Amino acid sequence: MTDTIFALSSGAPPAAIGVIRVSGPQAGFALEALSGREFEPRLAKLAYLRDESGEILDQALVLWFPGPNTATGEDLAELHCHGGRAVVAAIERTLDRMDGVRRAQPGEFTRRAFANGRIDLAEAEGLADLLSAETELKRGAAMAMAGGAFSAKVEEWRSRILALSAQVEAVLDFDDEDDVSELPATFLETVVALHGELVDWLARPPAERLGEGYRIVLAGPPNAGKSTLFNALTESEAAITSPIAGTTRDVIERSVAIEGIPFTFVDTAGLHEAHSDEIEKIGIDRAQQQLGRADLVLWLGVSEAAPAGSWDIEAQIDIPATEAKPSPRFRVSAVSGEGMDAFRGAIVAEGRQAMPKPGEVALNKRQRLLVAEAASALDDARMHSDPLLVAENFRRVRIAFDRLIGRATTEDMLDALFGRFCIGK
Ligand SMILES: Nc1nc2c(c(=O)[nH]1)N(C=O)[C@@H](CNc1ccc(C(=O)N[C@@H](CCC(=O)O)C(=O)O)cc1)CN2
Ligand SMILES: Nc1nc2c(ncn2[C@@H]2O[C@H](COP(=O)(O)OP(=O)(O)OP(=O)(O)O)[C@@H](O)[C@H]2O)c(=O)[nH]1
Ligand SMILES: [Mg+2]
């Protein structure tokens, strides 16, 4: 028999309220054992929860959801208890002592929702992202994925490839000529259109961008004001600043959201020919590596040395002795604040255009690999005139679509996905 599982599904104690969810065939029994009574479906009721000896553990608000029309597709009970550590622990211990009832593993509620067909795999991935969303932009993308926006798209692609497959199968069934010339005139057009759509999806900003943030590296010679600017942009004191050249030696990273856009700012050691100091040399090596990883480099050195694609910044403009650059992209002072508003605005605009659009679905790596596999199979299909090979490649396309929404999955893959969830989800 399926185990009945339980876990605290709200924030960690101590909290005002803790919600313990119980899902599975024994959920109704467990609820009755704790409360001594039965409940009307989907109607909140206040009840005392007791252990086997009759001792009151808590007074809780209880919800009873009989399956299969529930979040998990199983019988489901929710105990909205007081969120103190000992309260939650006492209720959990009492549940744990019941036959066929055990603690849930990470993501196990969602895994059951998937196993019972309540949600598909893309929606489950969206839920995982929703739980880890720290910016407005990521929340919007995750909500779109969790709400089935991409699943609906894949279903549509799937029906298109099935229709194309049927046309090829018809040729295979009725034609001895082994020639795709019998296919409808629109056949190739339809293949090309679907392929183009997949390629467009692959060109979209990836979902990982939303987590990692737009990566901006500050670079230039010592004492150029990199760390001071870094602190101003991240509104922190993360980097040490001083008039001593060579103050920053290691790479300092800070992730911040500005206007809902996620950024990772990176401060680096001043670039110059370090002759004697071994530590500084290592720092400069690391700074150089960071230049290669950046989405955007803010260059505070002489304009002639600016790396390709970087923004040439004239910093410390409040200091009269600062030599003016001929045509910098921005002139700023992190100390007086001069030029900073326009500079910050431009950075936000740059980050925004590299991110998925608000509320738009973004694909994660797994999803991109499968869309790429479907696109490449369609491309192969286009190259063949043998209907057997065309049909075979269309099968590859269909399998990739199936994997996107979880119609074809392996245990390993499900373990990896649902392991990302916290306990209680
Ligand atoms: N108290 C509580 N809040 C919660 C959740 C929960 O499980 N419990 N959720 C946990 O993720 C989210 C809401 N998600 C849910 C998704 C489906 C169903 C559900 O029962 N679906 C049924 C009936 C739908 C209906 O009544 O209209 C169904 O789909 O058939 C419930 C919650 C966020 N808030
Ligand atoms: N007045 C003024 N002083 C600044 C400004 N930016 C930086 N400074 C000062 O210049 C000195 C060097 O600044 P840092 O930010 O440490 O320079 P850095 O580029 O990080 O230097 P290294 O870490 O050694 O490579 C410090 O004393 C700062 O206080 C500015 O915009 N105006
Ligand atoms: Mg520094």
Side-chain angles (χ1 to χ4, degrees), residues 18-57:
V19 182
I20 298 171
R21 291 204 296 178
V22 187
S23 180
Q26 297 293 87
F29 161 82
L31 186 54
E32 205 184 321
L34 280 167
S35 67
R37 49 167 292 190
E38 288 186 25
F39 293 86
E40 262 181 78
R42 302 179 162 269
L43 202 68
K45 279 282 175 193
L46 197 58
Y48 283 108
L49 305 182
R50 299 168 198 268
D51 68 12
E52 302 89 330
S53 70
E55 192 192 336
I56 292 176
L57 303 174

Side-chain angles (χ1 to χ4, degrees), residues 183-197:
L183 287 165
T186 55
F187 180 80
L188 199 60
E189 231 171 88
T190 316
V191 174
V192 170
L194 182 55
H195 180 263
E197 211 172 299

Side-chain angles (χ1 to χ4, degrees), residues 166-176:
Q167 293 176 351
V168 179
E169 301 292 341
V171 172
L172 282 172
D173 285 349
F174 299 114
D175 195 37
D176 301 326

Side-chain angles (χ1 to χ4, degrees), residues 40-43 63-67 69-71 74-78:
E40 262 181 78
R42 302 179 162 269
L43 202 68
L63 282 164
W64 166 238
F65 303 99
N69 295 325
T70 63
E74 304 177 320
D75 284 355
L76 187 77
E78 289 190 2

